[in-house]
Amino acid sequence: MWRRATYLFLYSYFRLFHRLKIYGKENIPKKAAFIMVSNHMSYYDPPLIWATSYPRIVNFMAKEQLFKVPGFGLLIRLHFKAFPVKTDRINKKALSRAI
C-alpha cells in the first residue's frame, strides 16, 4: 500500500509541476532483471525513476555518505530499497549486490 501511495504522489507531482511524459516504458522488461543507469542531472532522478518504473520494484545504489544522514538513510534503505556504495574505491560488494 505504501508503494502505491508513494507512486501516486510522486507521479502526480511530476505530471502536475514538471509536465512529465514517459517514452519507452514498453522497453522495460516486465519480469526479467535489468539495470537502468541515470546520468544524475538532479536530485529528482531517483524519485523520478522510481515513480516511472512502477509497478516494478527498483533498488538503488547510493553513496555511502547518504546512509549516515539521520532519518534519510533509513528512508532510502527501507522505502526505496537503496544500498550503500563506497565511492572512494572499487566496491565489489555493491557490484555483486547489483548483479
Side-chain angles (χ1 to χ4, degrees), residues 2-19:
W2 63 266
R3 285 188 68 244
R4 181 142 175 86
T6 303
Y7 159 74
L8 289 172
F9 171 77
L10 290 173
Y11 186 80
S12 299
Y13 170 79
F14 286 118
R15 289 274 303 183
L16 187 63
F17 294 107
H18 298 283
R19 298 185 219 165

Side-chain angles (χ1 to χ4, degrees), residues 1 36-37 53 71 75:
M1 182 170 137
M36 183 183 300
V37 180
S53 298
L75 173 73

Side-chain angles (χ1 to χ4, degrees), residues 5-6 11 14 43 50 54 67 70 72 76 81 84 88 91 96:
T6 303
Y11 186 80
F14 286 118
Y43 291 114
W50 195 85
Y54 188 84
F67 292 88
F72 186 70
I76 63 175
K81 306 291 184 210
D88 60 343
N91 191 310
S96 294

Side-chain angles (χ1 to χ4, degrees), residues 45-98:
D45 289 354
L48 184 59
I49 289 169
W50 195 85
T52 56
S53 298
Y54 188 84
R56 292 293 305 258
I57 295 174
V58 179
N59 297 31
F60 291 96
M61 297 172 86
K63 67 180 181 176
E64 185 179 45
Q65 294 87 338
L66 292 175
F67 292 88
K68 296 176 183 174
V69 178
F72 186 70
L74 188 62
L75 173 73
I76 63 175
R77 184 182 305 273
L78 297 178
H79 198 68
F80 293 103
K81 306 291 184 210
F83 58 92
V85 177
K86 294 179 178 163
T87 56
D88 60 343
R89 61 185 176 275
I90 294 174
N91 191 310
K92 291 179 183 178
K93 184 177 178 182
L95 291 173
S96 294
R97 185 163 180 189

